[in-house]
Protein backbone atom coordinates (compact mmCIF):
# COMPACT_ATOMS: atom_id res chain seq x y z
CA UNK A 1 0.00 0.00 0.00
CA UNK A 2 1.34 3.41 -0.94
CA UNK A 3 0.95 6.32 1.48
CA UNK A 4 -0.40 9.50 -0.07
CA UNK A 5 0.89 12.11 0.00
CA UNK A 6 4.29 10.39 -0.01
CA UNK A 7 6.30 10.64 3.20
CA UNK A 8 9.32 12.01 1.30
CA UNK A 9 7.21 14.92 0.02
CA UNK A 10 5.87 15.63 3.51
CA UNK A 11 9.36 15.58 5.02
CA UNK A 12 10.39 18.40 2.64
CA UNK A 13 8.02 20.76 4.48
CA UNK A 14 9.19 20.14 8.06
CA UNK A 15 12.44 19.86 9.97
CA UNK A 16 11.83 16.37 11.41
CA UNK A 17 9.38 13.49 11.49
CA UNK A 18 8.47 14.50 15.04
CA UNK A 19 7.45 17.95 13.78
CA UNK A 20 5.42 16.34 11.00
CA UNK A 21 3.48 14.17 13.44
CA UNK A 22 2.91 17.03 15.88
CA UNK A 23 1.80 19.46 13.18
CA UNK A 24 -0.55 16.92 11.59
CA UNK A 25 -2.07 15.98 14.96
CA UNK A 26 -2.70 19.61 15.92
CA UNK A 27 -4.22 20.39 12.53
CA UNK A 28 -6.35 17.23 12.60
CA UNK A 29 -7.78 18.39 15.93
CA UNK A 30 -8.64 21.77 14.38
CA UNK A 31 -10.35 20.02 11.46
CA UNK A 32 -12.28 17.78 13.85
CA UNK A 33 -13.37 20.89 15.76
CA UNK A 34 -14.90 22.31 12.58
CA UNK A 35 -12.17 24.32 10.82
CA UNK A 36 -12.37 24.24 7.03
CA UNK A 37 -9.90 22.11 5.10
CA UNK A 38 -7.43 24.14 3.03
CA UNK A 39 -6.16 21.31 0.81
CA UNK A 40 -7.01 21.28 -2.88
CA UNK A 41 -6.80 17.48 -3.08
CA UNK A 42 -9.24 15.74 -0.69
CA UNK A 43 -9.60 12.06 -1.55
CA UNK A 44 -10.57 11.28 2.04
CA UNK A 45 -12.51 12.77 4.93
CA UNK A 46 -10.13 11.55 7.64
CA UNK A 47 -8.75 14.56 9.56
CA UNK A 48 -5.14 13.31 9.83
CA UNK A 49 -5.00 12.52 6.11
CA UNK A 50 -6.45 15.94 5.27
CA UNK A 51 -3.82 17.55 7.49
CA UNK A 52 -1.09 15.68 5.58
CA UNK A 53 -2.49 16.98 2.28
CA UNK A 54 -2.48 20.53 3.67
CA UNK A 55 1.16 20.13 4.73
CA UNK A 56 2.15 18.70 1.33
CA UNK A 57 0.47 21.63 -0.45
CA UNK A 58 2.13 24.22 1.84
CA UNK A 59 -1.29 25.35 3.07
CA UNK A 60 -0.12 25.13 6.69
CA UNK A 61 3.27 25.36 8.31
CA UNK A 62 4.87 25.67 11.70
CA UNK A 63 6.91 28.04 13.79
CA UNK A 64 9.21 26.68 16.46
CA UNK A 65 9.05 28.61 19.75
CA UNK A 66 10.33 28.07 23.28
CA UNK A 67 6.90 26.67 24.18
CA UNK A 68 6.88 24.20 21.27
CA UNK A 69 5.47 24.16 17.76
CA UNK A 70 2.87 26.73 16.74
Amino acid sequence: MMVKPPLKKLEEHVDSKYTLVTLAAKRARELTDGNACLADERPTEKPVSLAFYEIAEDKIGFKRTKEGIK
Side-chain angles (χ1 to χ4, degrees), residues 43-63:
T44 180
E45 293 296 319
K46 295 178 182 179
V48 174
S49 296
L50 292 174
F52 283 146
Y53 279 100
E54 290 180 338
I55 294 166
E57 295 176 10
D58 271 336
K59 302 289 182 168
I60 62 169
F62 69 98
K63 180 178 179 182

Side-chain angles (χ1 to χ4, degrees), residues 7-30:
L7 185 56
K8 292 290 183 193
K9 182 174 182 180
L10 290 168
E11 288 177 332
E12 294 172 1
H13 300 275
V14 293
D15 60 357
S16 70
K17 288 181 184 177
Y18 173 79
T19 300
L20 175 62
V21 170
T22 303
L23 181 61
K26 286 183 176 189
R27 182 60 181 150
R29 173 59 66 184
E30 292 174 354

